Amino acid sequence: MTKRAPVPSSRPPQRHRTVQEYEHDTYKLKGKLKEPAVCPQCGAVFHKGRWTWVSKPAQAHGAVCPACHRIADKYPKGMLTLNGPYFVARREEILNLARNEEAKEKKEHPLARLMAIEERPEGTVILTTDSHLPRRIGEALHHAYDGEFAFHYDEGEQFVRATWSR
Ligand SMILES: [Zn+2]
């Protein structure tokens, strides 16, 4: 079982929060992964049913992890849109906070990564390889800067769309 990191106490209490366990991302997985396996691209190790950053075991099979597959295919599992005049004025600082949140999340969950940061008409869009990071970053921004934060999961929770604006 994977436990979620503690959530900031300042999050809005009115929002119902369902417990989201980290599911094993099976993107592009052909059959059952043999263990231990190591991703030749990022070095993540598949062990006891999950991807971790343990050191590479001897005799590990090579298997590209779902996050590296998604990055290569540009096939995100979540997105966070950032916009508003306050954001534009402090863009770099805010994106740094987003990168720091990614670094913390990725330590525990190797498949949670920033895939791309794109400029679109609706704002700056952060694409992620997992469906937890957009919410984690959005909540951190809300905690640090207030503003408006919202997210929703698509049907089946296969994709999350989040927005933070100020
Ligand atoms: Zn990988």
Side-chain angles (χ1 to χ4, degrees):
M1 285 289 257
T2 311
K3 288 273 180 285
R4 283 190 55 79
V7 292
S9 56
S10 67
R11 70 190 165 84
Q14 74 275 15
R15 196 171 56 234
H16 177 66
R17 185 190 191 90
T18 53
V19 176
Q20 305 277 328
E21 291 293 337
Y22 274 79
E23 279 175 37
H24 175 41
D25 188 354
T26 54
Y27 181 64
K28 288 225 164 158
L29 197 64
K30 297 178 192 82
K32 197 167 156 45
L33 254 184
K34 278 189 197 163
E35 297 191 22
V38 62
C39 175
Q41 287 172 28
C42 68
V45 172
F46 188 73
H47 181 57
K48 293 184 180 168
R50 58 184 296 245
W51 289 91
T52 67
W53 293 121
V54 298
S55 52
K56 183 185 169 183
Q59 317 276 333
H61 309 269
V64 175
C65 75
C68 288
H69 266 311
R70 286 180 184 277
I71 290 166
D73 294 353
K74 297 185 168 59
Y75 188 72
K77 204 162 160 48
M79 65 190 285
L80 172 65
T81 303
L82 307 172
N83 55 34
Y86 184 89
F87 167 68
V88 171
R90 305 180 76 162
R91 188 175 181 279
E92 275 318 300
E93 177 190 330
I94 288 167
L95 290 179
N96 277 339
L97 190 149
R99 291 187 191 100
N100 287 342
E101 288 301 312
E102 183 222 17
K104 286 190 261 174
E105 183 80 357
K106 193 166 72 176
K107 247 187 218 170
E108 272 184 76
H109 302 289
L111 302 187
R113 299 181 205 168
L114 290 191
M115 219 166 96
I117 298 176
E118 296 180 353
E119 294 309 318
R120 297 188 185 176
E122 66 270 28
T124 296
V125 175
I126 296 177
L127 300 171
T128 66
T129 55
D130 84 316
S131 59
H132 297 260
L133 211 41
R135 192 168 81 180
R136 173 168 181 151
I137 295 170
E139 284 176 346
L141 293 177
H142 189 248
H143 178 64
Y145 302 108
D146 212 0
E148 301 279 323
F149 171 58
F151 69 92
H152 80 269
Y153 288 91
D154 286 359
E155 205 174 326
E157 301 191 348
Q158 288 308 299
F159 193 86
V160 65
R161 285 167 214 278
T163 310
W164 179 79
S165 56
R166 182 178 165 190

